[in-house]
Amino acid sequence: MCCESKRRFLLLYATQKGQAKAIAEEIWQQAGAHGFEADMHCISEMDKYNLETEEDPVVIVISTTGTGDPPDTARKFVKKIQDKTLPPDHFAHLQYGLLGLGDSEYMFFCNGGRTVDRRLQELGAQHFYDTGLADDCVGLELVVDPWIDGLWLALKEALQLQKEKEDMNNAVNPVSSSLSTAPHAVDELKLSSEVQNLKLEDEGARSSDILSQKLDGINLVAPAADTKPSLVHSVPPVSQSALNIPTLPLEYIEVEFQDNQGENPHLSSLISEGTTFEVPVTKAVQLTREDAIKTALLIELDIADTAFDYQPGDAFYVICPNNVSEVEDLLHLLGLSEKGNDLVCVTVKQGTKKKGASRPQHIPERSTLKFILTWCLEIRAIPKKAFLRALVECTSDVGEKRRLQELCSRQGASDYTHFIRDSNVCLLDLLHAFPSCKPPLSLLIEHLPKLQARSYSVSSSDLYQPGRLCFVFNVVEFPASPSRAVSRKGVCTGWLAELVAPLLHPSKNSLNTKGESSLIEKISIFPRPNNAFHLPADPSVPFIMVGPGTGISPFIGFLQHRQKLREKHTDWEFGETWLFFGCRHQDRDYLFKQVYYELRCFVENGTLTHLKVCFSRDSSTAEVAPPKYVQDILRLCAKEVARVLLKERGYFYVCGDKKHMADDVSDAVLDILSMEMEADRLEAMKVLAMLREAKRYLQDVWS
Ligand code: FAD
């Protein structure tokens, strides 16, 4: 417990991938400088705090996972506060501020935070500070930084008010009757942090709280106002400002190199989410023509000898490494080229002041340097401001130092957004741009996130292809930019494309008798906890599938499965099936038109009752322009869509790689519903919400 004079507050975090924890740690670290002491706990450590009796302000940082769920670590907490028997004043004594993290690319943005916030309100708790909702899609820091900046004043006011209330309670005089005004006072003191509006103009007023850097004696990288700003150059006003830069993150990792070579841990030890399976790649097919804008590949895996089990509609994870030449480049820039195969022992720095410091779970205690950089750290991650702040200390050139300070400062916020965040700059780009920056390995371990396994939707059915699992993906390509001279491919899709390149054009002697490749490459996969994106349990129910581009992938699995069920159960009744597919060009990227599998066959054998296709970039000489996008063909089939959804209790599935597509499709469905029901849009929205709730309108959308 912290003493009262230090102005204690309770700080809870609920994290899935570590971001909420990192932000809570930042708050914890800043608290000291602002005269507060944060009593920080993971929200799951329910034996270490008690909201029922908590008198000090509570700050909650909570992320969102899956389809709008609170993180796993918050499950017990959420279950506890969801208890319907709790009275509406259960938390009437509680003052709190909540920072929710989410990604607006996904449905139910920040729903983890919203759920907890809503429930605390229902139970009588009061905000002492406006809720902040930070969006990873545009940059968490856009909301997180100003939210934290505003927190200290809000806490001060809340604690002041609390003290006044206590003083009034203690005073034995008639004034106690006026206490009834206190709740209003709390309301009045609710701070308008304006985090949503991102107002930063009042920063000067708060600058005394924050480390200020004066310009004296520093040579600017871009002294002249006539140059344009860039990653490495600044122009006024930033280049001439005193800077408010974040406090230096506490170091907590120690690495020791041992020049003997050693065994690396198995990849499965890096995964805490479940069993991993190392499976051979048996086939790879390019589904698009060479002149298509994107290259789509299908990969077939042999899972026959494993316990890996899936249903059509499931997704699974692929464990992928970083690009070999990027790792080599990084080793070179860090001055560690000679040490790539050395064993590295990673421990927590003795005497570190970082609270609860521990070795990140994704870093083995002992492994080679190359293993850490290849399999453990997301070296492509966009460096956070705290990382930039730490890099300042490892940079010898004064001008470079200043620019790094600017990029993490409040004054340089828009430069950070423009030249780092929006330009997708990674550590490698920074080390090239700031050559005197030589961070130690320990700093990378402290600041780079875990290299995440990537998810893919299964594109096959175990009934149709026993012992096989297929998936389809576009090879992600990032062109060169002003911040980066080289083009790059997506970490996972670039690696997969390279891995299967020999299978795409196999020579005769590399094929076995089944026509499969004898060049065996293996990849590690593990299951992704299930969602509801499955075929209707009742086969007689009709369903509609909307899957442009690689969004068609899970529907191939649906159709294969359905075909086998039809062959096996000739006496069953099967509902009608609709597939809406779209691509750019009929003859370049129409997936499954002719290559690997022909969609037409599903139509011919009656598995697919309606196939509707559109091409967004093909020119047409027809008098009436043909539909371009899936939402356009949906509108043309309005009556049938409404019939399936409203009269026949059918299902509607949307899958694809763009949030906008999913939004456009749901807009089209709203139009269809309101037109066919002859109701206004609000009514249509209610019906769509009901369909979502009943899990009859299902989305599997990725960015
Ligand atoms: P990454 O290297 O992770 O890059 C991906 C994104 O990072 C880019 O889209 C971009 O936003 C950003 N980015 C990174 N670096 C840059 C840069 N230099 N310039 C610009 N932007 C940059 N994908 C499929 O293709 N098929 C599927 O079936 C499929 N199913 C999925 C199912 C689920 C449940 C989920 C969550 C995702 C699914 N995905 C699918 C997406 C897939 O998981 C990967 O995100 C995708 O393949 C890209 O991975 P990557 O490692 O190649 O790209």
Side-chain angles (χ1 to χ4, degrees):
M1 269 303 239
C2 317
C3 60
E4 203 186 303
S5 61
K6 281 188 177 165
R7 301 196 292 176
R8 171 190 177 272
F9 68 96
L10 177 65
L11 173 58
L12 300 177
Y13 63 84
T15 203
Q16 188 72 23
K17 292 183 180 163
Q19 247 159 350
K21 183 174 181 225
I23 291 167
E25 283 171 353
E26 167 78 22
I27 295 175
W28 178 84
Q29 202 181 327
Q30 283 194 28
H34 290 274
F36 295 99
E37 185 144 351
D39 187 10
M40 181 171 75
H41 302 285
C42 172
I43 208 160
S44 62
E45 298 171 327
M46 288 160 76
D47 53 332
K48 302 213 173 119
Y49 64 92
N50 185 357
L51 290 191
E52 268 81 14
T53 55
E54 183 59 59
E55 288 178 350
D56 292 334
V58 180
V59 173
I60 302 173
V61 186
I62 173 168
S63 62
T64 299
T65 186
T67 41
D69 304 317
D72 294 342
T73 48
R75 258 194 213 153
K76 245 169 57 194
F77 173 84
V78 172
K79 195 166 169 220
K80 191 172 172 205
I81 62 169
Q82 296 287 22
D83 181 352
K84 294 252 176 348
T85 62
L86 295 177
D89 62 350
H90 186 70
F91 284 137
H93 59 283
L94 209 65
Q95 295 186 66
Y96 74 104
L98 184 142
L99 177 61
L101 313 181
D103 186 332
S104 60
E105 284 277 314
Y106 292 88
M107 280 269 288
F108 310 119
F109 170 60
C110 275
N111 204 45
R114 286 183 205 265
T115 304
V116 169
D117 201 13
R118 203 170 33 239
R119 188 57 186 148
L120 290 178
Q121 293 282 302
E122 283 168 8
L123 295 173
Q126 307 202 27
H127 288 134
F128 72 86
Y129 187 38
D130 284 353
T131 295
L133 299 177
D135 184 357
D136 205 16
C137 178
V138 292
L140 289 175
E141 68 283 352
L142 291 183
V143 166
V144 171
D145 291 354
W147 194 87
I148 297 178
D149 288 344
L151 176 66
W152 311 117
L153 184 57
L155 270 171
K156 208 168 121 190
E157 306 258 9
L159 283 162
Q160 179 65 28
L161 185 78
Q162 182 189 329
K163 190 167 176 299
E164 278 167 16
K165 274 166 76 181
E166 278 167 18
D167 289 350
M168 283 164 106
N169 275 335
N170 293 340
V172 190
N173 65 36
V175 174
S176 59
S177 63
S178 68
L179 272 178
S180 57
T181 56
H184 303 293
V186 172
D187 271 351
E188 280 158 22
L189 279 170
K190 265 199 219 165
L191 281 188
S192 175
S193 64
E194 300 193 11
V195 285
Q196 310 287 1
N197 299 332
L198 301 175
K199 283 201 171 173
L200 296 171
E201 296 91 317
D202 63 339
E203 279 156 7
R206 286 189 241 121
S207 61
S208 60
D209 292 342
I210 295 167
L211 177 61
S212 261
Q213 293 274 319
K214 291 272 179 250
L215 275 175
D216 307 347
I218 292 179
N219 293 324
L220 300 182
V221 176
D226 53 357
T227 34
K228 276 192 172 176
S230 70
L231 179 62
V232 290
H233 292 285
S234 61
V235 294
V238 176
S239 61
Q240 290 171 353
S241 299
L243 302 174
N244 299 103
I245 63 172
T247 40
L248 184 64
L250 294 169
E251 292 174 6
Y252 69 101
I253 286 294
E254 199 150 78
V255 298
E256 191 196 329
F257 284 95
Q258 298 176 342
D259 58 10
N260 52 327
Q261 302 196 349
E263 282 274 297
N264 280 315
H266 196 265
L267 287 184
S268 57
S269 67
L270 302 176
I271 305 301
S272 53
E273 294 97 325
T275 317
T276 59
F277 301 91
E278 203 184 343
V279 292
V281 176
T282 40
K283 203 175 270 179
V285 182
Q286 182 165 328
L287 300 176
T288 44
R289 229 171 58 174
E290 288 303 329
D291 55 354
I293 291 178
K294 289 183 182 175
T295 304
L297 300 181
L298 175 141
I299 289 186
E300 184 191 89
L301 304 174
D302 179 356
I303 55 165
D305 297 331
T306 70
F308 190 95
D309 188 26
Y310 72 88
Q311 282 185 55
D314 280 347
F316 65 102
Y317 289 103
V318 172
I319 303 179
C320 57
N322 285 312
N323 179 279
V324 179
S325 52
E326 283 174 38
V327 171
E328 292 295 342
D329 199 12
L330 195 51
L331 283 171
H332 171 72
L333 290 167
L334 296 174
L336 294 172
S337 293
E338 307 300 310
K339 291 187 179 288
N341 293 317
D342 286 6
L343 271 184
V344 178
C345 288
V346 181
T347 49
V348 171
K349 209 182 182 98
Q350 284 222 327
T352 177
K353 293 213 173 78
K354 187 178 165 79
K355 188 175 180 208
S358 61
R359 177 173 49 84
Q361 276 179 1
H362 54 277
I363 305 292
E365 211 173 329
R366 274 162 70 92
S367 61
T368 63
L369 173 56
K370 266 193 191 160
F371 184 85
I372 295 177
L373 296 181
T374 307
W375 293 101
C376 307
L377 295 175
E378 186 97 44
I379 60 173
R380 289 266 191 95
I382 297 170
K384 299 248 179 315
K385 288 185 184 166
F387 192 14
L388 295 180
R389 174 65 189 89
L391 289 175
V392 170
E393 304 305 302
C394 321
T395 306
S396 52
D397 180 273
V398 195
E400 289 178 14
K401 228 178 161 90
R402 162 74 191 187
R403 183 58 179 147
L404 285 170
Q405 283 170 337
E406 287 169 357
L407 288 166
C408 65
S409 72
R410 205 179 287 148
Q411 290 72 10
S414 77
D415 277 9
Y416 176 85
T417 305
H418 192 68
F419 299 116
I420 300 227
R421 164 116 214 148
D422 294 351
S423 308
N424 275 286
V425 157
C426 63
L427 175 66
L428 214 44
D429 303 324
L430 282 183
L431 297 182
H432 277 293
F434 299 91
S436 79
C437 178
K438 299 281 173 212
L441 174 65
S442 55
L443 205 70
L444 272 57
I445 295 175
E446 284 166 356
H447 288 276
L448 286 176
K450 176 186 177 184
L451 176 57
Q452 297 289 343
R454 291 352 191 214
S455 302
Y456 293 94
S457 308
V458 171
S459 186
S460 51
S461 155
D462 195 36
L463 287 185
Y464 191 94
Q465 293 172 280
R468 293 288 187 263
L469 179 155
C470 295
F471 65 107
V472 173
F473 58 92
N474 277 327
V475 182
V476 174
E477 310 222 16
F478 310 117
S481 69
S483 307
R484 186 184 41 249
V486 290
S487 65
R488 291 198 179 119
K489 290 200 162 70
V491 173
C492 187
T493 55
W495 167 67
L496 286 172
E498 220 170 277
L499 189 82
V500 303
L503 303 184
L504 292 174
H505 313 286
S507 63
K508 272 199 187 133
N509 6 346
S510 65
L511 295 179
N512 66 19
T513 47
K514 285 196 235 160
E516 291 171 344
S517 174
S518 53
L519 302 164
I520 305 295
E521 289 290 357
K522 288 187 170 182
I523 66 171
S524 292
I525 60 170
F526 60 100
R528 190 182 155 104
N530 207 341
N531 53 41
F533 205 84
H534 290 142
L535 280 164
D538 177 356
S540 70
V541 169
F543 61 90
I544 294 169
M545 300 165 278
V546 182
T550 46
I552 194 174
S553 174
F555 303 136
I556 296 295
F558 278 16
L559 291 167
Q560 289 184 345
H561 203 76
R562 178 53 81 93
Q563 181 177 326
K564 283 292 155 194
L565 288 181
R566 283 166 57 90
E567 286 167 14
K568 205 165 150 200
H569 304 282
T570 46
D571 54 332
W572 284 10
E573 190 195 329
F574 290 94
E576 63 186 292
T577 52
W578 292 73
L579 175 62
F580 292 83
F581 175 76
C583 61
R584 289 186 174 85
H585 300 285
Q586 159 135 239
D587 52 2
R588 293 189 214 172
D589 56 354
Y590 184 168
L591 310 186
F592 301 103
K593 185 185 177 202
Q594 274 150 355
V595 182
Y596 188 71
Y597 193 90
E598 294 185 36
L599 270 182
R600 190 173 43 86
C601 298
F602 289 126
V603 181
E604 283 167 4
N605 65 31
T607 306
L608 181 57
T609 8
H610 305 275
L611 174 62
K612 302 282 174 191
V613 192
C614 58
F615 310 102
S616 60
R617 305 276 171 88
D618 280 344
S619 48
S620 160
T621 49
E623 231 168 75
V624 182
K628 275 191 168 182
Y629 301 105
V630 280
Q631 59 271 25
D632 303 333
I633 8 177
L634 272 170
R635 285 196 170 90
L636 292 180
C637 302
K639 287 218 170 323
E640 288 86 348
V641 170
R643 170 178 55 78
V644 167
L645 288 180
L646 300 174
K647 296 211 176 101
E648 298 172 6
R649 300 191 52 75
Y651 282 56
F652 194 101
Y653 300 88
V654 190
C655 180
D657 70 346
K658 281 279 175 298
K659 181 188 178 246
H660 300 299
M661 180 279 293
D663 289 347
D664 291 343
V665 167
S666 74
D667 266 356
V669 171
L670 282 176
D671 288 347
I672 291 170
L673 291 176
S674 73
M675 195 170 71
E676 297 302 317
M677 295 185 326
E678 294 181 1
D680 61 19
R681 207 167 162 84
L682 192 65
E683 272 308 301
M685 284 164 91
K686 282 187 195 157
V687 173
L688 187 58
M690 181 275 289
L691 289 171
R692 286 190 203 273
E693 180 81 19
K695 305 225 180 301
R696 289 207 285 124
Y697 188 99
L698 292 153
Q699 279 188 186
D700 190 3
V701 186
W702 58 82
S703 54

